[in-house]
Amino acid sequence: MTNTLEDAYLGQTPPELTPKKFAAGVVSTDNHEHSSLAISPDGTEIYWALWRRPDEGLPQVIVFVRKEGEEWSAPQIASFSGIYNDGGPVFSSDGQRLYFYSKRPSQRENEPESQDIWFVQKHNKGWSAPKNVGAPINTEKLEVSPSIASDGTLYFVKYHEGVEGGMGIYCAEYSDDHYLEPKALDTNINSQYHDWIPYIAPAQSYLVFSSNRPGGYGTFDLYVAFRENDGSWAEPQNLGKEINTEDQERFPGVSPDGKYLFFTRGSDVYWVSSMVIEQLRPR
């Protein structure tokens, strides 16, 4: 049987405009799920990050399930994870790379361990050893929460002076096999509040992120900003009370087929039709 992306949802009944907990007991568990879902383009693998409970000082790990014939495997720790704090997995558009952030030794001279962005490359035996993305993306300070556009442009969170939490959303174009200097997004995205954890649409037509800016429904809400014709970002719009609650809504991500928005509410993963985004798009 040929795998299709519809196989990627672990037999779950798709949601409509009201969010549902995703795969209770498999993905959403008694652990603390701490990322969106990275679904491979062919729908046969799902990766996500979690903190294991009870907390015994264990690192955050990246786990996965894989379609094997007609069945899905049980969740297991990825080959490149389990020793250091790892999070935020996301596939490249061709599925050949998996990006993530990690607090592991960078091998840069005289530099303490910091959270950097890394990637692993797919080969016929699984994944390569992790490779640091390097400068100019990674610095001696924090870089986390990668999201990749179809042209390779990298959106991520890094240190941003003068804003709450000291973090802001940046992007860096990919050209001639290397990243260009990162640029902070517009000030309506990087407000004076805590704006972070971006998801960029493949064509960079919209951005979903989490923020504690005023006017929300809880501690952190999800917002969407659409790209203007001149390349700037329109004013972010709250995704509304069906999505945002008194809890924390974070870690947005959209499935490769564009049909579903995944995010975390508290410590579980939820999903909802991506029409919650499209109905806010300017006409």
Side-chain angles (χ1 to χ4, degrees):
M1 179 179 177
T2 301
N3 287 305
T4 67
L5 194 54
E6 291 300 321
D7 297 326
Y9 305 120
L10 304 181
Q12 305 295 294
T13 302
E16 296 182 357
L17 298 179
T18 299
K20 296 167 58 175
K21 189 178 293 188
F22 182 75
V26 178
V27 174
S28 296
T29 67
D30 290 337
N31 293 309
H32 182 172
E33 283 72 48
H34 199 247
S35 79
S36 189
L37 300 186
I39 302 174
S40 63
D42 65 1
T44 63
E45 295 177 286
I46 304 175
Y47 288 76
W48 69 99
L50 57 83
W51 295 95
R52 290 168 284 182
R53 289 176 171 164
D55 182 8
E56 299 176 349
L58 298 173
Q60 181 178 224
V61 295
I62 294 174
V63 299
F64 74 99
V65 292
R66 176 181 291 130
K67 189 82 179 294
E68 298 173 344
E70 298 299 312
E71 304 293 331
W72 284 90
S73 68
Q76 54 191 297
I77 297 174
S79 61
F80 52 87
S81 189
I83 298 175
Y84 306 101
N85 283 337
D86 303 320
V90 60
F91 276 99
S92 60
S93 60
D94 62 5
Q96 294 303 299
R97 284 187 177 183
L98 189 77
Y99 290 80
F100 62 102
Y101 66 84
S102 180
K103 191 175 183 180
R104 62 180 64 206
S106 67
Q107 298 182 340
R108 293 195 291 269
E109 291 185 10
N110 303 318
E111 186 174 307
E113 294 177 19
S114 64
Q115 293 195 87
D116 279 354
I117 295 175
W118 297 69
F119 71 88
V120 287
Q121 188 81 32
K122 181 156 285 190
H123 55 65
N124 57 7
K125 295 183 179 180
W127 294 108
S128 68
K131 183 176 181 179
N132 191 293
V133 169
I137 302 300
N138 292 322
T139 68
E140 73 280 1
K141 296 181 179 179
L142 168 147
E143 289 84 26
V144 295
S145 300
S147 183
I148 313 292
S150 59
D151 68 356
T153 300
L154 175 66
Y155 287 69
F156 64 106
V157 170
K158 72 185 296 290
Y159 177 74
H160 192 60
E161 188 174 357
V163 300
E164 185 176 317
M167 292 187 286
I169 300 173
Y170 283 69
C171 73
E173 295 180 356
Y174 193 70
S175 178
D176 295 328
D177 296 324
H178 70 279
Y179 285 103
L180 305 182
E181 192 68 31
K183 298 178 181 179
L185 298 194
D186 300 351
T187 55
N188 60 339
I189 305 296
N190 288 319
S191 67
Q192 69 266 41
Y193 300 99
H194 199 137
D195 307 296
W196 61 340
I197 317 176
Y199 165 77
I200 188 63
Q204 303 182 70
S205 58
Y206 67 85
L207 177 80
V208 184
F209 63 99
S210 183
S211 178
N212 69 344
R213 60 185 61 199
Y217 296 90
T219 308
F220 281 96
D221 281 12
L222 294 182
Y223 289 79
V224 61
F226 293 95
R227 201 70 171 266
E228 302 278 29
N229 291 335
D230 64 1
S232 64
W233 292 102
E235 192 65 27
Q237 301 178 68
N238 190 294
L239 283 183
K241 62 183 180 180
E242 285 290 340
I243 305 301
N244 294 311
T245 66
E246 294 180 355
D247 212 331
Q248 295 187 6
E249 278 72 34
R250 301 184 296 169
F251 299 105
V254 174
S255 57
D257 58 11
K259 291 182 178 180
Y260 306 108
L261 169 67
F262 290 87
F263 62 95
T264 62
R265 176 179 291 166
S267 59
D268 288 317
V269 176
Y270 283 73
W271 64 328
V272 68
S273 169
S274 61
M275 285 303 298
V276 298
I277 296 171
E278 292 304 318
Q279 64 189 5
L280 295 175
R281 188 186 294 275
R283 302 301 178 193

